[in-house]
Amino acid sequence: MTELSGLQIFKYLPAAKKAEHTNCKMCGCPTCMAFALKLAKHNIDIENCPYVSDELKKICEQNSKEPQKTVDINGVKIGGENVLYRHEKTFINKTAIAVIIDLSEHDWKEKFEQVKNFEITRVNEHLKIDLIITKNGSLPDCITYEDYKKLPIKEIVNEKFSKTSKELIDTRKKAVLEKDENYSSPVCVYFKHTGDLNQLCAEASYYICKYANMLVFEDFDPYLITALMTLRQNIFTDPQKPLQVEPKIYEFNNPDENSLIFMTTNFALTFFAVANELEGLPVPSYLIVTPAEGMSVLTAWSAEKFTAKMVAKTLKKFDFANKVKNRKIIIPGLLAHMKDELQEEVKDFEIIVGTVDAFAIGDFVKNLKIRHQQSA
Ligand code: SF4
């Protein structure tokens, strides 16, 4: 059973049954419906209503159980999941990636250095191997194979894809849908040495999607891990929290006081699309990134997270008017309708409407230069 909604709870309350005590306010809420909505969000104790039936108490008790336990391994948390699909709410802890280092192998030091130093940066996140497990000895900041075997997790040794995938899906369903305590441990898939990298990649990718809490590899291949971490980042990004970058002034190609000035919000995908184009321009530029809780420009505008007042405040905060001589700021084309409003608020600069799409920035800058030369 998944989380109870307010409406599901309401069905068990006096108001739904038109019974005695309907909307009596004893719980501190104006109506039974208000109580139900609060209870669904865990913002009120069920005991606040003296007329709650035993049936509802039992249902709520069953629902309050954590479907899957969280296990902390050297600071790496796995498990704690309570949905089958990310869009239902969110996933909690990403699938951890661990590598085995066997200290009895002659080249273990080389492999250890490779694993320890492996790092990729993607959408502003620095991704590294989560855990190193040592066999036949111990190393600092690693856990031994013996300690790994003692972890309160369920291990599946990956021998046959159909068997492993079925077990992963069955286990998560039993945990989330039935809250069966026998299936509440996080699940780890263990990959023994294998020669077939393509198959390994396909199977491990599937297990990240459904529903491994940890993957342990005896082999280490940086290309495989890069692909898996990229997939993992996409699967485990919280859809309710857009990826964002730090709001500040970014510099491209060593700008000076006369360089071009662009502006956008701190939504990571917009930022990287624009930054990529600015990096490739034959001229230097600044990019002013405004704080907008990671929303894209139009969403930020409609949610009042990108307003003329906020833009003026951002420029003031960075003391930008005193840092540059250029007096033109290029705003995203999608915000053309805001030009006059912005101009009213941002008196030190002329507002220029730029392109709708980032890929058109190159041509836009070329035209800007031609217009500038013609008017000079
Ligand atoms: Fe409804 Fe119970 Fe609150 Fe009374 S105390 S209003 S019956 S929820």
Side-chain angles (χ1 to χ4, degrees):
M1 193 178 290
T2 48
E3 293 255 309
L4 282 175
S5 70
L7 271 182
Q8 284 168 319
I9 293 172
F10 177 72
K11 279 189 218 155
Y12 296 91
L13 295 175
K17 296 173 184 169
K18 297 198 170 43
E20 204 184 342
H21 311 297
T22 289
N23 301 331
C24 71
K25 302 186 179 59
M26 282 278 284
C27 55
C29 300
T31 60
C32 292
M33 178 58 93
F35 174 80
L37 293 172
K38 270 194 171 188
L39 190 59
K41 288 186 178 168
H42 309 286
N43 286 338
I44 199 165
D45 194 327
I46 193 166
E47 298 297 336
N48 279 29
C49 170
Y51 312 111
V52 159
S53 64
D54 287 346
E55 191 185 4
L56 179 59
K57 277 188 191 165
K58 213 169 150 197
I59 292 169
C60 287
E61 198 186 306
Q62 179 70 6
N63 267 276
S64 67
K65 281 190 204 160
E66 284 293 314
Q68 192 182 48
K69 288 179 195 135
T70 302
V71 174
D72 190 315
I73 318 164
N74 264 10
V76 177
K77 285 198 173 107
I78 62 167
E81 303 300 340
N82 47 35
V83 291
L84 288 180
Y85 306 105
R86 190 183 68 165
H87 63 260
E88 289 178 65
K89 207 168 186 181
T90 184
F91 289 145
I92 309 290
N93 292 306
K94 61 189 176 190
T95 309
I97 294 181
V99 177
I100 298 278
I101 302 285
D102 188 341
L103 305 187
S104 69
E105 286 175 359
H106 71 281
D107 59 350
W108 73 264
K109 273 191 188 151
E110 203 183 305
K111 184 179 172 189
F112 176 66
E113 286 302 313
Q114 242 194 324
V115 172
K116 200 176 68 169
N117 297 325
F118 174 84
E119 181 171 347
I120 56 168
T121 301
R122 199 173 175 274
V123 202
N124 239 18
E125 237 191 300
H126 305 294
L127 308 169
K128 291 174 78 74
I129 295 295
D130 301 296
L131 201 66
I132 298 177
I133 302 167
T134 57
K135 265 186 178 173
N136 298 308
S138 62
L139 289 170
D141 300 328
C142 304
I143 68 162
T144 62
Y145 185 72
E146 291 71 28
D147 285 342
Y148 158 73
K149 292 300 273 184
K150 284 183 210 150
L151 290 171
I153 60 176
K154 171 178 174 170
E155 186 195 60
I156 304 172
V157 177
N158 186 47
E159 270 154 5
K160 206 168 172 214
F161 172 73
S162 56
K163 190 169 170 282
T164 304
S165 54
K166 185 176 182 316
E167 208 170 337
L168 282 167
I169 293 169
D170 288 350
T171 305
R172 179 67 64 89
K173 280 189 172 171
K174 286 264 182 201
V176 171
L177 301 180
E178 295 174 28
K179 298 211 171 171
D180 187 330
E181 284 175 15
N182 296 318
Y183 294 85
S184 63
S185 299
V187 188
C188 168
V189 179
Y190 189 99
F191 293 87
K192 289 185 175 169
H193 288 299
T194 169
D196 191 340
L197 200 59
N198 289 339
Q199 192 177 344
L200 186 61
C201 187
E203 294 185 5
S205 299
Y206 187 89
Y207 302 152
I208 285 177
C209 298
K210 285 176 186 281
Y211 287 110
N213 300 103
M214 180 155 82
L215 302 177
V216 178
F217 297 95
E218 286 189 347
D219 290 324
F220 174 70
D221 184 285
Y223 301 107
L224 168 76
I225 301 295
T226 301
L228 295 181
M229 284 185 169
T230 303
L231 170 73
R232 183 182 69 171
Q233 190 184 42
N234 289 326
I235 300 293
F236 283 84
T237 298
D238 186 345
Q240 292 166 56
K241 287 187 201 148
L243 289 170
Q244 44 189 294
V245 295
E246 189 188 348
K248 64 174 194 177
I249 293 166
Y250 292 81
E251 299 185 354
F252 299 92
N253 306 324
N254 302 316
D256 60 23
E257 55 193 16
N258 296 310
S259 298
L260 292 170
I261 306 164
F262 291 83
M263 177 176 273
T264 191
T265 67
N266 70 331
F267 176 43
L269 299 188
T270 304
F271 171 81
F272 286 110
V274 175
N276 197 28
E277 294 301 322
L278 298 187
E279 250 163 27
L281 286 181
V283 291
S285 58
Y286 293 99
L287 177 60
I288 303 168
V289 171
T290 61
E293 294 177 17
M295 292 180 195
S296 60
V297 283
L298 264 192
T299 315
W301 168 75
S302 50
E304 299 200 345
K305 301 288 175 197
F306 189 99
T307 62
K309 279 203 168 33
M310 280 175 188
V311 170
K313 206 171 143 194
T314 305
L315 291 170
K316 205 169 163 202
K317 184 181 161 203
F318 296 129
D319 194 23
F320 201 56
N322 289 324
K323 285 191 180 133
V324 291
K325 280 192 184 152
N326 180 10
R327 284 291 172 259
K328 291 184 170 118
I329 291 183
I330 303 160
I331 61 164
L334 285 170
L335 298 178
H337 57 280
M338 274 188 83
K339 185 177 186 274
D340 293 344
E341 192 189 337
L342 275 167
Q343 196 60 77
E344 188 71 19
E345 205 63 48
V346 183
K347 301 245 189 292
D348 292 328
F349 293 89
E350 181 191 342
I351 301 297
I352 311 261
V353 176
T355 61
V356 171
D357 296 304
F359 68 77
I361 287 177
D363 283 343
F364 173 82
V365 169
K366 240 188 259 168
N367 289 334
L368 206 66
K369 276 182 81 182
I370 292 167
R371 284 214 306 265
H372 181 72
Q373 279 158 5
Q374 281 170 347
S375 62

